[in-house]
Amino acid sequence: MTTLTIPEAVRLCTAWADRLARDHGVRALVIKGHVLSAQGLREGYESVDVDLLVEPADHDRFLEVLGDHGWTPMTLSTAPKIIPLHAVTVTHLWWPITIDVHRHFPGFLADPQVVFDVLWQRSTTARVAGIEVRAPDPIGHAALVALHHLRSPDSSRAASELPDLTARVRATLTPEQVQDLAALAARTGASATLAPFLEDLGAQPAAEDDTDAEALAAWRLRTSVPESAWLVGLSRVPVWRWPLDVWHAIWLSDAEVETYHRRGAESLTRARWRRFSRGLLVTPPALARLARHKLARRRPRRHS
Amino acid sequence: MSAWRRNDDVAVVESDDHIVVVNLAGLDQQPVALSGSAWLVYDTVDGTRDTAGVIETLRTRFPDELDLARQVSDCLEALASTGLIMPTPAPPA
């Protein structure tokens, strides 16, 4: 067996996954990763996985196709989601990396099929490992990656990479293209979610989009109180289930701890304890922020 | 004999001392690393050289290698068997 380095595997597997989708008539866009670098929207970051945005209608079929070629889904996290699950991560014995197969991309709040069609219609190709792969055009890609950062605006990566992306977009797009970006945001239900990015670019607000209010509220909760998922999850189930759900939130299954929380060679017990300790630290402030968020939403807005 | 050419369906990533490739025409094939002589032979395949041409080209670089012809032939066959290279179609008569 060939020992691939992570950077080698990411490039080869990007080309491989793109070809697999094409061979099976599945429309898929390679997102983030090396395409982003090739388009001048990022520099100096080595991806550790392959990301594909797959046409929603064919998402499950493509997962089956991947399964036929030895890729298996990772253990699904049972953690409650404020934003619905948007991707499945698959692994393979030969490849030292994973593929994230996205059904839709959080922050684009229009119908996922509409969003995909908009991105597909303006898609382009980029060269990865000597092979042309299908990818979003720079404008669609900039919107998608900005949403990726705006989903966790307080993360260290967002703090450094979003301003970098903004600067690169400002340097490469003409004012007309920036307006095109604002129009794309409106068509994909992302005017509100991308607002900070669009404002930084100096884009004029495009025509009103018909963003789903509930989806926008979920986005705002997720981005302003990211630790609140378990608390929100509890609020959505009957009280009699709380003891069981709280216990599960604390303990998780071995497979979940192994997949999502264990670091290096540490034991499952240690990983559980570390996660529990962090939970004790973040839960009180998350409760407070959640309460403030809900209060702010209930307060009637004053129009001047 | 036909000239050898590289398969356009092969994804390639180059490093300092080797390349890794995967044949996209056979999606169940494992990625392969080529280093040393295998990399040299693959690198010499350019769509114009047949087996004798590849041997001759490498002979100028390794004049003292006694078993060069056999090694290059074996390597070309191995590369062809995995679909990384293929014979160039003969021009229409």
Side-chain angles (χ1 to χ4, degrees), chain A residues 2 8 12 16 19 69 94 129, chain B residues 9 12 15 18 27-28 31:
Chain A
T2 305
E8 288 170 345
L12 286 186
W16 185 92
R19 177 60 59 87
H69 289 269
W94 297 346
Chain B
D9 273 342
V12 182
S15 301
H18 68 279
L27 288 168
D28 281 323

Side-chain angles (χ1 to χ4, degrees), chain B residues 15-67:
Chain B
S15 301
D16 289 342
D17 59 351
H18 68 279
I19 60 172
V20 287
V21 296
V22 66
N23 182 6
L24 303 179
L27 288 168
D28 281 323
Q29 288 185 21
Q30 289 197 32
V32 176
L34 302 178
S35 59
S37 54
W39 185 14
L40 271 178
V41 171
Y42 182 78
D43 198 42
T44 308
V45 169
D46 64 354
T48 65
R49 297 184 179 104
D50 59 9
T51 301
V54 174
I55 294 169
E56 191 183 314
T57 302
L58 291 174
R59 175 74 69 200
T60 60
R61 294 183 62 178
F62 304 100
D64 300 330
E65 185 66 48
L66 296 176
D67 202 21

